[in-house]
Amino acid sequence: MALPVVVGIDGTAESLAAADWAADEALRRGLPLSLVYAWDPQRLADVPLALSPAAQQQAAEGLVRDAEREVRARHPDVPVTAEAVTGPEVAALTARSEDAAMLVLGSRALGPVVGFLVGSIGLKVLKGARCPVVMVRNHERAAGPATGAVVVGVQETGEAAAPVLSYAFETAAARGAGVRAVRAWSLPTVFSFRPSTLRRADEHGGIEEMERQALADTLAPWRERYPQVPVEQHLDLGSAPEVLLTSATDAQLLVIGRRARPGGFRHIGPVAHAVLHLAQVPVAVIAGD
């Protein structure tokens, strides 16, 4: 049975934009769509004039029915299920990520320049999710699908880059788009200087050429696996967030990774954190091994 595209909804315009994006992606991939609204009655227990638990349940079910009705009307060819789940939002959405092709969340746009506002719930889900998480801003709902490449940040090389490249190439193939693989590099500092690194750089004709070859070698098996996907390599000197954001201004999607630290602790990392708050396009965050 195909894993669904799961989208977290809460009745806001941002979550409906996420549902639209998720439905389009589900259709491209031939997957079902699952709408999930998680509500926590304990969080409202001490709020003055809060609805009774029965009234909260009724409101939650009504919200889910309305969202399902709207999504079905806009995307009649996508199989849709919807449910209201009682419990903390983060726990409910993280649990759904165990059996999902991807998890899609809405994020409020702060303006034409500033980018996303990723709230505490979104950040916690990003840290704990076991599947790719896509953040979608409200303006994507009105703007329609982009026509650019799928941009992927290649911070790791070799097998370590497999999770982000797998998602990027699979997405590009489903969309009939190309992949723009982006890698930022920097000159070694006094703290990062390694004689062995400089020796390898000399063998390749300089640090930039060494980085270019590392990117090409990492992409080679994915070019073979997806021969129908045009691939553009982009290597630039500078900070990773700046290079990624500059390269993704016309992208359909920006794909970045996060990795677990020793002991299983998961974190977003400074690069992903900056990209999430400043990107002007949907961002997919992929958990590493």
Side-chain angles (χ1 to χ4, degrees):
M1 182 176 180
L3 295 177
V5 176
V6 176
V7 55
I9 60 171
D10 59 9
T12 63
E14 290 77 25
S15 73
L16 292 175
D20 276 345
W21 190 97
D24 285 336
E25 194 67 14
L27 182 62
R28 292 187 189 98
R29 295 172 181 252
L31 300 175
L33 179 69
S34 175
L35 309 179
V36 178
Y37 173 49
W39 61 286
D40 187 1
Q42 293 300 320
R43 192 178 62 174
L44 300 177
D46 297 326
V47 177
L49 304 179
L51 296 175
S52 67
Q56 291 181 45
Q57 179 71 41
Q58 185 176 13
E61 292 173 354
L63 184 152
V64 167
R65 284 195 302 271
D66 290 344
E68 182 180 10
R69 186 183 307 113
E70 180 169 349
V71 171
R72 286 185 182 277
R74 294 170 64 89
H75 306 275
D77 296 326
V78 177
V80 180
T81 60
E83 62 177 328
V85 181
T86 304
E89 296 96 326
V90 173
L93 292 173
T94 302
R96 290 301 185 281
S97 75
E98 297 281 351
D99 298 302
M102 69 188 74
L103 177 61
V104 184
L105 302 175
S107 181
R108 182 157 58 91
L110 296 178
V113 176
V114 181
F116 287 136
L117 174 63
V118 183
S120 61
I121 291 177
L123 287 174
K124 290 176 182 177
V125 173
L126 281 164
K127 291 177 182 179
R130 304 296 299 181
C131 68
V133 180
V134 182
M135 303 298 298
V136 178
R137 299 197 322 177
N138 186 26
H139 76 77
E140 270 96 37
R141 191 180 194 206
T147 57
V150 173
V151 174
V152 56
V154 187
Q155 288 184 270
E156 308 288 345
T157 57
E159 286 299 319
V164 291
L165 291 176
S166 177
Y167 185 86
F169 274 84
E170 183 179 355
T171 300
R175 291 167 174 252
V179 165
R180 182 181 303 147
V182 178
R183 181 170 174 82
W185 69 282
S186 59
L187 295 171
T189 67
V190 66
F191 301 105
S192 62
F193 173 83
R194 296 287 187 278
S196 59
T197 300
L198 293 186
R199 282 197 299 271
R200 287 191 292 110
D202 287 341
E203 293 171 359
H204 286 83
I207 295 177
E208 182 174 5
E209 289 307 312
M210 180 181 70
E211 294 287 351
R212 194 182 311 279
Q213 187 61 52
L215 179 57
D217 291 344
T218 299
L219 291 173
W222 299 95
R223 289 179 183 270
E224 294 180 8
R225 191 173 302 178
Y226 292 90
Q228 77 278 26
V229 175
V231 180
E232 173 190 353
Q233 293 184 205
H234 182 87
L235 183 74
D236 204 355
L237 175 66
S239 70
E242 180 182 359
V243 172
L244 282 169
L245 292 167
T246 301
S247 302
T249 54
D250 62 343
Q252 296 192 35
L253 179 69
L254 174 55
V255 183
I256 57 177
R258 66 165 176 80
R259 297 196 70 185
R261 288 179 173 176
F265 175 72
R266 300 182 184 90
H267 67 119
I268 299 302
V271 174
H273 199 275
V275 168
L276 281 165
H277 282 82
L278 296 174
Q280 297 295 302
V281 300
V283 178
V285 182
I286 315 301
D289 296 330

